[in-house]
Amino acid sequence: MDWHPLLGVSPPPPAFCPVLPDPEWGSCSLGVFICLGCSGIHRNLPNVGKVKSVTLSRWEDSEVKFMAENGNKTMKAKYEAVVPVYYYKPSHKDCQVLREQWIRAKYERKEFTEEFVETGGKLPYEQEMREGQLMKRGRDNGQFLSRRFVLFERDGTLKYYTKHDSKVPKAVIKVDTINATFQPEKIGNPNGLQITYRKDYCTRNIFLYHESSKEIVDWFNSVRAVQFHYMKVAFPGASDAELKPRLTRNFLKEGYMEKTGPRQTEGFKKRWFTLDRRLLMYFKDPLDAFAKGEVYLGHRDLGYSAKAGLPAGTHCNGAWQHGITIETPDRNFLFTCESEAEQQDWLTHFNAVIATSMSPQEYSMEALFKRKH
């Protein structure tokens, strides 16, 4: 039996709602407890959208009994029976479109039930080839235009074409270099998706959206499915648990800081920073296609460190006075933050990365950065 004040049972940690640890709403149709954020999504589900507040609504005895007989753990076992390893299960930090499509995939389309599999249901993410039109932001003019994208499982590539009938792709992107993360606020669209990949030893950004929230989330999970298939072949001895972290991920942190140049005598300039695993990138604008520069954060035993403050004698011309110094074996990087809270948050992330043991691939990347710079 799951928790519910009306049932007089103490609450265990919720196993179902991805948003809040103390859900105060209940789906009378499904028999699960949910948070306020998810309750609005549940209301829009056909046939199973009856939602009530735990504290404010009047509950019928039959509804209380139904909740007691079902509950989150029971329904989780039914509706999440066969979730693919690659499928991205959102948390409370994720955007609305991911949470909505996760809920709809479970309850509306019932994609992860044993019945779906037994009746021959096919997941839209598991296709040998996925093709469709996505709105892509132009690198130079900033306009969003429709572009044809094709994802191939066999050769592990994502290609896009500037014209629908083009024979030659504008870009061929290997899936093992791709990261994909939803960025609705940055892109200015609730279905905004950012694709990043390595090109000529630099990180390239592509900003996309689709009017259909289902379509863009299907593309997102299709990329993860192809990545997972590629990883299974590339690392045959690795377990699913070891491969899953290699799929797409959210950035550790993004935001504005000011930075000075390598001579540390130039003025501090405001830049947009993105911390992605060990790579700290900075851009003049958050929607730039390429980073103006990149800093690789290796392990502390190799001479990397991050600390509050700036070296003595540093001329700080900007309005932001909360300094950060990142030391690498080759040079120091100086930044300033708008507030002490931002300074401490960046330092927490930097030092967590620097304290983490490096993989063989990360040692190779560090060596590549040393040769490049």
Side-chain angles (χ1 to χ4, degrees):
M1 180 182 295
D2 287 286
W3 78 274
H4 193 306
L6 297 177
L7 304 179
V9 182
S10 59
F16 224 52
C17 181
V19 181
L20 293 175
D22 297 311
E24 296 182 352
W25 293 77
S27 169
C28 311
S29 310
L30 295 166
V32 297
F33 297 100
I34 54 180
C35 71
L36 176 62
C38 290
S39 67
I41 301 171
H42 276 262
R43 284 195 187 92
N44 293 322
L45 297 179
N47 305 319
V48 292
K50 188 176 181 181
V51 173
K52 285 188 175 183
S53 167
V54 169
T55 57
L56 302 177
S57 301
R58 182 180 180 277
W59 289 70
E60 301 294 338
D61 291 343
S62 59
E63 293 171 335
V64 175
K65 181 181 179 183
F66 180 74
M67 300 293 286
E69 290 174 346
N70 292 282
N72 291 41
K73 290 182 180 179
T74 300
M75 293 298 99
K76 180 182 176 73
K78 175 182 179 180
Y79 288 102
E80 295 186 35
V82 286
V83 180
V85 174
Y86 62 78
Y87 191 95
Y88 185 85
K89 297 170 67 172
S91 73
H92 69 282
K93 297 181 180 179
D94 286 301
C95 60
Q96 173 81 2
V97 65
L98 277 172
R99 290 186 284 114
E100 177 185 351
Q101 289 307 313
W102 165 239
I103 290 170
R104 288 188 179 275
K106 283 194 297 182
Y107 299 128
E108 187 176 44
R109 302 190 293 271
K110 302 178 182 179
E111 293 178 356
F112 313 128
T113 62
E114 294 179 348
E115 180 183 4
F116 183 87
V117 176
E118 292 169 356
T119 56
K122 300 295 184 182
L123 293 174
Y125 332 106
E126 297 179 356
Q127 304 175 19
E128 292 185 0
M129 182 186 78
R130 182 181 187 91
E131 182 176 3
Q133 298 291 125
L134 296 173
M135 299 299 291
K136 175 188 172 292
R137 187 179 190 272
R139 183 183 68 181
D140 299 320
N141 59 21
Q143 294 181 337
F144 279 91
L145 298 173
S146 181
R147 296 288 183 255
R148 180 165 67 99
F149 282 77
V150 185
L151 178 66
F152 291 96
E153 180 186 274
R154 183 179 59 190
D155 56 1
T157 60
L158 176 66
K159 302 176 182 180
Y160 78 87
Y161 302 78
T162 55
K163 296 182 180 180
H164 182 73
D165 57 354
S166 297
K167 302 298 183 182
V168 180
K170 178 69 172 178
V172 179
I173 310 166
K174 297 293 292 183
V175 294
D176 60 318
T177 71
I178 287 179
N179 187 33
T181 179
F182 278 89
Q183 298 278 6
E185 293 183 3
K186 182 193 291 186
I187 295 173
N189 186 286
N191 301 333
L193 181 69
Q194 179 176 346
I195 301 284
T196 63
Y197 64 97
R198 298 295 290 179
K199 179 181 180 180
D200 300 329
Y201 305 107
C202 296
T203 300
R204 170 77 160 96
N205 292 326
I206 294 179
F207 301 98
L208 310 168
Y209 75 85
H210 195 283
E211 292 298 337
S212 166
S213 58
K214 180 182 183 301
E215 183 72 12
I216 197 69
V217 174
D218 283 356
W219 270 100
F220 173 68
N221 280 302
S222 294
V223 168
R224 289 174 61 88
V226 173
Q227 284 183 326
F228 185 69
H229 178 267
Y230 174 88
M231 296 294 179
K232 293 287 283 187
V233 175
F235 305 97
S239 66
D240 289 352
E242 291 172 325
L243 294 179
K244 192 172 182 179
R246 295 175 176 266
L247 306 182
T248 66
R249 69 272 176 192
N250 294 323
F251 297 135
L252 295 176
K253 183 172 172 62
E254 286 193 293
Y256 283 106
M257 289 192 292
E258 293 181 334
K259 72 171 293 294
T260 187
R263 293 191 299 272
Q264 300 178 7
T265 57
E266 305 92 332
F268 280 78
K269 296 180 180 180
K270 187 178 178 180
R271 297 288 182 255
W272 177 264
F273 285 81
T274 297
L275 180 60
D276 183 16
R277 291 181 173 166
R278 293 189 177 276
L279 191 61
L280 178 65
M281 300 166 280
Y282 56 92
F283 307 83
K284 186 175 182 180
D285 184 90
L287 294 177
D288 283 347
F290 290 96
K292 290 185 70 65
E294 299 175 326
V295 182
Y296 194 81
L297 302 180
H299 192 265
R300 58 192 175 196
D301 291 346
L302 300 178
Y304 293 86
S305 68
K307 60 185 179 183
L310 301 174
T314 302
H315 175 63
C316 187
N317 65 310
W320 296 358
Q321 302 297 316
H322 303 278
I324 292 177
T325 299
I326 291 181
E327 297 181 352
T328 76
D330 299 318
R331 57 166 284 198
N332 292 351
F333 295 86
L334 309 184
F335 313 105
T336 56
C337 301
E338 185 175 16
S339 66
E340 185 179 358
E342 271 293 285
Q343 175 202 49
Q344 293 304 312
D345 195 37
W346 277 110
L347 282 170
T348 297
H349 284 90
F350 291 152
N351 284 311
V353 169
I354 291 169
T356 303
S357 298
M358 293 172 62
S359 67
Q361 292 83 3
E362 289 173 333
Y363 277 106
S364 298
M365 180 65 76
E366 191 220 15
L368 179 64
F369 263 78
K370 286 185 175 181
R371 290 198 301 270
K372 175 184 172 184
H373 298 288

